[in-house]
Amino acid sequence: MYPFSSSIIAISAAALLAPLTPFAVASVIPQAQRAEGAERADGRTQSLPLAPLDGSSRGPGAGAVGLSKPDVAPFTMVGVVWKEPGAELHARVQVRTRSAESGRWSGWQSLDAHGADAPDPGSGAGSGSGSGEGGSAARRGGTAPLWVGDSTGIEVRVKPPQTRTAGAAELPRGLTAELIDPGGDGAGPPGARATGTAAAGRITAQTKAASEADAARLDPAPPAAARPFVGPRPEIVTRKGWGADESRREQAHRYTKTVDVAFVHHSATGNNYRCGEAASLIRGIYRYHTASLGWADLGYNFLVDKCGRIYEGRAGGVTRAVLGAHTLGFNHNSMGVAVLGSYDTAAPSKSSVNAVSRLTAWKLGLFGKDPESTETMVSSGGKYTSGTKVRLNVISGHRDGFATECPGVRLYDRLGAARASSATYQGRR
């Protein structure tokens, strides 16, 4: 058995067959077509080991590893992983790619070396191995993945910092470049006709009154005094809508008691995607989290694209307190919302920030939380020692709970406005 907290409840996939909330799914996903090019439709991951670079034994490039593969199978996303999930990569990680369309090489782009968070110790869905989410043998450490568009060539360089006394910093074992083809047509689910949107499978939006009435029928329902502050449910693209291959994830789900805090992230996957490619980007992150990092499922509970569209993330039910893998130490009793893109220097769109406000007004409202208040949470390790009590904003940034720059300074600076807007949607202002 897993060493879970008593607040975490394991429920099999079969128990979720009955509807948990009276929302309507608006359309049906087309079946994937098995024909020529089926391997591309289903997606794939190419794992390429990194090796010492020429001339890396001395001088400024000492200790550097990398690879150069000008001709590989098509891919759209790249990340770098290593064997020990708890090891840190203290190095500069850069990639450049060759466009499948033009044949031209991109400039060098940096990967966020600290971008891939992790499940809490001993958490997650599993088969009873006692090793936590995905099994300790399967899990690996990794950078954030980067969206690079259709590419057929890759160069990678990983350069550790130099010190005058000790030389190059030691790199984790088993560094490997993961080239990800998420499958599908680039815009929608595998086998779906491209339409420029993630159209196929959505939970429809509701008025505030309808959302409050639905909340009263949930089990557990929010306290009666909190029901007037459930925000209107926004439209949500379901996992079927973005084309999740449900065979890739572990089939059991884990739930915690409540949702006290919403942690806002940026995916650090870059901003060079079109909104019509968001479903493909999410499938790539899903494949990276499960196949490359060895997690049970997509780590985030929800995702938001630059056009303000909201997507269901980790499976288990959008109204439920699903245990995710997004903020090490504070995955329990929280939810993770990732805004697709990188916001260290680029500003997030108004649409994406507003989507965060609308989503949190509804989801936090289901659990009676005021977006402008704070909650005390107990860390299970990471930035704060296990057992430490930490006071957090109900809408916090990833950096508030974990040692990271995520969600980027430009998005982090918008969280105050997001809290106020979320409270307005709830009717508290």
Side-chain angles (χ1 to χ4, degrees), residues 318-366:
V318 296
T319 64
R320 309 289 299 276
V322 179
L323 178 68
H326 50 82
T327 308
L328 180 64
F330 297 101
N331 288 310
H332 53 287
N333 294 338
S334 71
M335 68 186 233
V337 182
V339 180
L340 298 175
S342 301
Y343 301 107
D344 295 305
T345 57
S349 68
K350 292 181 179 179
S351 295
S352 63
V353 175
N354 182 254
V356 170
S357 299
R358 291 184 289 114
L359 173 63
T360 52
W362 171 69
K363 184 63 182 277
L364 292 172
L366 296 181

Side-chain angles (χ1 to χ4, degrees), residues 355-415:
V356 170
S357 299
R358 291 184 289 114
L359 173 63
T360 52
W362 171 69
K363 184 63 182 277
L364 292 172
L366 296 181
F367 295 88
K369 304 303 176 185
D370 179 348
E372 293 188 292
S373 66
T374 60
E375 288 284 337
T376 298
M377 300 189 72
V378 180
S379 172
S380 61
K383 179 178 179 178
Y384 299 96
T385 305
S386 180
T388 302
K389 293 183 178 180
V390 182
R391 195 77 174 169
L392 293 165
N393 288 309
V394 166
I395 299 178
S396 284
H398 185 191
R399 65 173 64 182
D400 295 319
F402 185 70
T404 177
E405 295 301 311
C406 180
V409 65
R410 300 297 297 276
L411 178 53
Y412 190 80
D413 286 348
R414 297 297 300 154
L415 295 187

Side-chain angles (χ1 to χ4, degrees), residues 1-4 120-139:
M1 295 295 292
Y2 290 97
F4 298 116
D120 288 341
S123 69
S127 58
S129 65
S131 54
E133 174 157 324
S136 60
R139 280 183 44 204

Side-chain angles (χ1 to χ4, degrees), residues 12-262:
S12 68
L16 298 171
L17 293 178
L20 296 171
T21 184
F23 55 64
V25 175
S27 56
V28 179
I29 199 79
Q31 294 292 323
Q33 302 298 314
R34 294 288 180 178
E36 185 176 356
E39 185 177 73
R40 184 82 202 267
D42 291 342
R44 71 184 135 204
T45 300
Q46 303 171 72
S47 299
L48 306 178
L50 304 188
L53 296 174
D54 291 342
S56 64
S57 60
R58 66 174 72 89
V65 299
L67 62 79
S68 179
K69 297 285 185 182
D71 290 293
V72 296
F75 66 97
T76 59
M77 181 175 282
V78 59
V80 172
V81 302
W82 51 90
K83 287 185 176 179
E84 303 95 339
E88 293 188 11
L89 178 59
H90 297 288
R92 187 179 187 187
V93 185
Q94 293 182 303
V95 301
R96 67 176 190 141
T97 56
R98 187 170 67 85
S99 168
E101 181 178 355
S102 69
R104 296 191 183 95
W105 285 89
S106 71
W108 287 100
Q109 301 182 79
S110 294
L111 273 60
D112 185 346
H114 305 287
D117 207 342
D120 288 341
S123 69
S127 58
S129 65
S131 54
E133 174 157 324
S136 60
R139 280 183 44 204
R140 294 193 284 182
T143 67
L146 180 69
W147 177 262
V148 294
D150 284 325
S151 303
T152 53
I154 180 74
E155 290 191 349
V156 181
R157 60 190 185 193
V158 179
K159 294 184 176 181
Q162 305 286 317
T163 65
R164 292 184 178 180
T165 55
E170 186 174 351
L171 296 174
R173 294 184 302 114
L175 285 165
T176 303
E178 300 283 284
L179 312 185
I180 299 167
D181 177 357
D185 56 25
R193 179 172 57 85
T195 62
T197 71
R202 69 183 188 274
I203 296 166
T204 56
Q206 279 185 326
T207 64
K208 191 174 187 304
S211 296
E212 291 171 1
D214 273 2
R217 292 191 288 269
L218 293 177
D219 184 17
R227 288 174 204 165
F229 301 113
V230 176
R233 186 181 69 205
E235 181 176 288
I236 301 171
V237 178
T238 66
R239 289 173 64 90
K240 282 188 176 183
W242 55 260
D245 177 355
E246 300 298 357
S247 69
R248 301 205 61 82
R249 63 173 175 85
E250 294 187 11
Q251 296 305 299
H253 309 288
R254 296 198 179 276
Y255 300 98
T256 56
K257 287 183 175 180
T258 186
V259 177
D260 286 331
V261 171

